[in-house]
């Protein structure tokens, strides 16, 4: 077995607390078990394979990407395995754990100040220009390169369909590049158009308003979650058959992340907290007796200094409080 063949085919774990709370079966796809530790290994592998097949990435070539971290980590693993140079442009607001890991994996890391997409200094645009300036380099371009969505259309979606024995009523997850939701929703709707598909959107992102009202409008304060939330419709998300959505605040995210660790031993990152909170909203919307799938995108180990640091959380006005969660239900 190669490192590449260990990507994907992740277990689908029953989330006990969320299931008991709602009377639904809520299942989480354990993407944190992938070799690079996140859902983005799938996209990273497919992007590299597609570029190799197209002849744009040749032996000894360079892969450049702008990433909040996880795609870079996935790319760094595959570049090491296949002998490519890997350059990662990352907003300096991302967790120090991710920056350190990227360096350890052998990527050349170029932190840049956070800048909105409209700015030429935005990390994605910096990465694109950098790739164009290096001979033999490709820009992975995870946001608009639909190899990303394809990995979920032909991998994650069919896995979920098989693992639930086609008994699935809903799928919900957050959008970063939109590759996951774009690919999985498309595959599942083709199997059964009655499957409800939804976005779980952190505050400060525009996807909730886009999906529910057709307006690319942000609402609420910026979120502490990393790798998710966006203000534009990427090529990977364009045309995705997504029915509805819920906006999830940071307190719910923190509550779920801590509850899942304390009660189920699942150590997860913030986007997984947003996703599970979204699955609970969907369960309330559908009523008891339904099966809902979401994504457990990466591990809490990537966010120890933030999400699992009570002082850091307090500085953001957040308190992990699973009792509050139970009472609220
Ligand atoms: N969760 C985490 C932790 C991520 O890094 C990402 C990707 N940026 C996502 C969720 C969202 O996945 P996608 O890019 O497929 O929308």
């Amino acid at each position: 077995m190669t490192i590449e063949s260990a990507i994907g085919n992740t277990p689908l774990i029953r989330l006990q607390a969320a299931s008991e709370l709602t009377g639904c079966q809520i299942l989480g796809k354990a993407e944190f078990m992938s070799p690079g530790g996140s859902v983005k290994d799938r996209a990273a592998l497919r992007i590299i394979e597609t570029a190799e097949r197209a002849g744009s990435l040749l032996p000894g070539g360079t892969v450049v990407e702008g990433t909040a971290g996880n795609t870079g980590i996935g790319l760094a693993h595959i570049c090491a395995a296949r002998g490519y140079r890997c350059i990662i442009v990352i907003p300096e607001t991302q967790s120090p754990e991710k920056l350190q890991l990227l360096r350890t994996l052998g990527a050349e890391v170029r932190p840049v100040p956070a800048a909105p997409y409209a700015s030429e200094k935005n990390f994605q645009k910096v990465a694109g220009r950098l790739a164009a300036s290096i001979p033999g380099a490709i820009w992975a371009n995870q946001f608009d390169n639909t190899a990303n969505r394809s990995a979920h259309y032909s991998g994650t979606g069919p896995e979920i369909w098989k693992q639930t024995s086609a008994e699935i009523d809903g799928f919900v997850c957050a959008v970063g590049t939109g590759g996951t939701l774009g690919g999985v929703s498309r595959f599942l709707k083709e199997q059964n158009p009655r499957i409800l598909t939804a976005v779980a959107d952190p505050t400060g992102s525009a996807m909730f308003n886009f999906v529910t009202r057709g307006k690319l409008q942000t609402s609420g304060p910026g979120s502490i979650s990393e790798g998710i939330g966006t203000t534009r419709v990427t090529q990977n998300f364009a045309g995705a058959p997504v029915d509805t959505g819920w906006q999830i605040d940071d307190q719910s995210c923190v509550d779920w992340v801590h509850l899942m660790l304390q009660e189920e031993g699942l150590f997860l990152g913030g986007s997984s907290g947003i996703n599970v909170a979204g699955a609970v909203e969907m369960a309330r919307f559908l009523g008891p007796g339904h099966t809902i799938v979401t994504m457990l995108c990466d591990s809490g180990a990537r966010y120890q200094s933030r999400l699992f640091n009570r002082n850091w959380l307090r500085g953001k006005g957040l308190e992990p409080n699973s009792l509050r969660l139970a009472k609220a239900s």
Side-chain angles (χ1 to χ4, degrees):
M1 198 172 198
T2 61
I3 181 172
E4 290 92 338
S5 61
I7 293 171
N9 287 311
T10 51
L12 195 58
I13 298 176
R14 182 182 148 91
L15 305 177
Q16 304 292 5
S19 298
E20 277 161 30
L21 186 70
T22 58
C24 281
Q25 168 142 263
I26 297 183
L27 307 168
K29 196 105 170 85
E31 297 298 302
F32 58 87
M33 293 178 68
S34 207
S38 91
V39 64
K40 299 303 304 201
D41 284 5
R42 296 176 186 265
L45 176 60
R46 186 64 65 92
I47 286 168
I48 286 183
E49 282 177 344
T50 305
E52 285 173 341
R53 219 168 296 130
S56 50
L57 183 59
L58 298 170
T62 300
V63 178
V64 181
E65 182 59 321
T67 159
N70 280 329
T71 303
I73 292 163
L75 288 170
H77 277 278
I78 299 161
C79 285
R82 298 193 173 191
Y84 299 122
R85 181 182 174 202
C86 181
I87 305 177
I88 300 301
V89 180
I90 183 169
E92 59 196 11
T93 47
Q94 299 303 296
S95 78
E97 287 91 331
K98 284 193 286 197
L99 270 87
Q100 204 176 12
L101 178 56
L102 279 164
R103 291 195 177 102
T104 303
L105 294 174
E108 292 166 44
V109 181
R110 313 241 174 132
V112 292
Y117 186 71
S119 162
E120 286 308 304
K121 291 182 176 162
N122 174 270
F123 68 106
Q124 297 169 45
K125 294 182 183 165
V126 173
R129 286 196 301 270
L130 183 62
S133 74
I134 299 172
I138 62 150
W139 176 30
N141 191 14
Q142 57 167 330
F143 289 87
D144 295 307
N145 179 346
T146 54
N148 169 4
R149 179 176 74 197
S150 301
H152 295 285
Y153 177 82
S154 67
T156 321
E159 289 170 31
I160 292 170
W161 186 244
K162 206 166 146 208
Q163 285 169 311
T164 56
S165 308
E167 285 178 19
I168 165 172
D169 300 295
F171 177 80
V172 55
C173 74
V175 163
T177 63
T180 308
L181 188 53
V184 173
S185 65
R186 194 159 299 192
F187 177 82
L188 291 177
K189 286 281 189 189
E190 282 174 11
Q191 313 314 306
N192 176 1
R194 289 192 309 276
I195 295 172
L196 186 70
T197 53
V199 63
D201 208 28
T203 54
S205 169
M207 291 300 103
F208 166 72
N209 282 327
F210 176 71
V211 165
T212 58
R213 297 166 46 225
K215 293 207 162 111
L216 257 185
Q217 224 170 52
T218 62
S219 51
S223 170
I224 62 161
S225 59
E226 296 180 26
I228 55 172
T230 177
T231 54
R232 73 176 177 110
V233 178
T234 63
Q235 286 305 309
N236 281 295
F237 195 57
V242 179
D243 300 311
T244 187
W246 290 276
Q247 191 178 50
I248 309 293
D249 65 18
D250 281 344
Q251 186 60 60
S252 309
C253 163
V254 168
D255 282 341
W256 276 108
V257 162
H258 283 261
L259 184 108
M260 284 189 292
L261 177 57
Q262 287 157 16
E263 297 193 7
E264 306 188 35
L266 283 168
F267 189 30
L268 303 167
S271 70
S272 303
I274 299 276
N275 284 352
V276 174
V280 167
E281 291 299 330
M282 182 182 272
R284 289 184 172 137
F285 176 78
L286 289 174
H290 294 94
T291 297
I292 294 164
V293 175
T294 192
M295 304 295 286
L296 308 178
C297 305
D298 68 356
S299 158
R302 246 150 233 194
Y303 311 93
Q304 296 235 46
S305 65
R306 296 184 171 188
L307 205 45
F308 296 92
N309 174 349
R310 279 173 194 258
N311 286 334
W312 188 88
L313 285 176
R314 219 164 281 138
K316 302 278 174 193
L318 298 164
E319 191 78 43
N321 188 345
S322 47
L323 272 180
R324 210 186 54 75
L325 182 78
K327 272 190 212 141
S329 65

